[in-house]
Amino acid sequence: MKKTDRGLKDKVIGKVKEVEGKVTGDKAREVQGKAQQAKGKMKEKAKNLKDDLEDH
Protein backbone atom coordinates (compact mmCIF):
# COMPACT_ATOMS: atom_id res chain seq x y z
CA MET A 1 0.00 0.00 0.00
CA LYS A 2 1.05 3.56 -0.58
CA LYS A 3 2.00 5.81 2.29
CA THR A 4 -1.06 7.90 1.46
CA ASP A 5 -3.23 4.90 2.38
CA ARG A 6 -1.86 4.87 5.91
CA GLY A 7 -4.56 3.58 8.23
CA LEU A 8 -6.86 2.41 5.45
CA LYS A 9 -5.65 -1.18 5.71
CA ASP A 10 -6.35 -1.29 9.46
CA LYS A 11 -9.77 0.29 8.99
CA VAL A 12 -10.81 -2.22 6.32
CA ILE A 13 -9.48 -5.28 8.13
CA GLY A 14 -11.02 -4.03 11.36
CA LYS A 15 -14.42 -3.65 9.72
CA VAL A 16 -14.20 -7.20 8.36
CA LYS A 17 -13.35 -8.53 11.83
CA GLU A 18 -16.19 -6.53 13.38
CA VAL A 19 -18.75 -7.88 10.91
CA GLU A 20 -17.37 -11.40 11.29
CA GLY A 21 -17.79 -11.10 15.05
CA LYS A 22 -21.37 -9.86 14.69
CA VAL A 23 -22.30 -12.67 12.28
CA THR A 24 -20.75 -15.42 14.41
CA GLY A 25 -21.78 -13.92 17.75
CA ASP A 26 -18.12 -13.63 18.79
CA LYS A 27 -18.02 -10.47 20.90
CA ALA A 28 -14.24 -10.65 21.34
CA ARG A 29 -13.71 -10.67 17.56
CA GLU A 30 -16.16 -7.78 17.18
CA VAL A 31 -14.29 -5.72 19.79
CA GLN A 32 -10.97 -6.63 18.17
CA GLY A 33 -12.28 -5.31 14.87
CA LYS A 34 -13.46 -2.06 16.41
CA ALA A 35 -10.06 -1.61 18.06
CA GLN A 36 -8.26 -2.17 14.77
CA GLN A 37 -10.52 0.37 13.07
CA ALA A 38 -9.65 2.89 15.78
CA LYS A 39 -5.96 2.15 15.21
CA GLY A 40 -6.44 2.88 11.50
CA LYS A 41 -8.20 6.15 12.24
CA MET A 42 -5.38 7.19 14.58
CA LYS A 43 -2.75 6.41 11.93
CA GLU A 44 -4.70 8.46 9.41
CA LYS A 45 -5.01 11.42 11.81
CA ALA A 46 -1.31 11.23 12.68
CA LYS A 47 -0.42 11.26 8.98
CA ASN A 48 -2.70 14.24 8.36
CA LEU A 49 -1.16 16.12 11.30
CA LYS A 50 2.34 15.35 10.05
CA ASP A 51 1.41 16.58 6.57
CA ASP A 52 -0.08 19.79 8.00
CA LEU A 53 3.03 20.47 10.05
CA GLU A 54 5.29 19.91 7.07
CA ASP A 55 3.23 22.36 5.00
CA HIS A 56 3.89 25.16 7.50
Side-chain angles (χ1 to χ4, degrees), residues 16-34:
V16 170
K17 287 180 182 180
E18 179 186 0
V19 170
E20 177 187 11
K22 285 181 180 181
V23 169
T24 62
D26 185 350
K27 291 289 184 189
R29 187 70 167 175
E30 186 178 341
V31 169
Q32 184 183 31
K34 288 180 180 181

Side-chain angles (χ1 to χ4, degrees), residues 2-54:
K2 300 177 200 170
K3 287 189 178 202
T4 56
D5 294 338
R6 193 166 299 238
L8 180 63
K9 179 180 173 184
D10 284 315
K11 290 191 300 187
V12 170
I13 292 172
K15 188 63 175 179
V16 170
K17 287 180 182 180
E18 179 186 0
V19 170
E20 177 187 11
K22 285 181 180 181
V23 169
T24 62
D26 185 350
K27 291 289 184 189
R29 187 70 167 175
E30 186 178 341
V31 169
Q32 184 183 31
K34 288 180 180 181
Q36 190 163 1
Q37 287 179 71
K39 178 182 171 185
K41 288 177 185 175
M42 290 299 293
K43 281 183 178 181
E44 183 178 37
K45 287 183 182 199
K47 174 70 172 132
N48 290 340
L49 178 61
K50 181 182 173 194
D51 290 345
D52 287 346
L53 291 173
E54 287 176 351

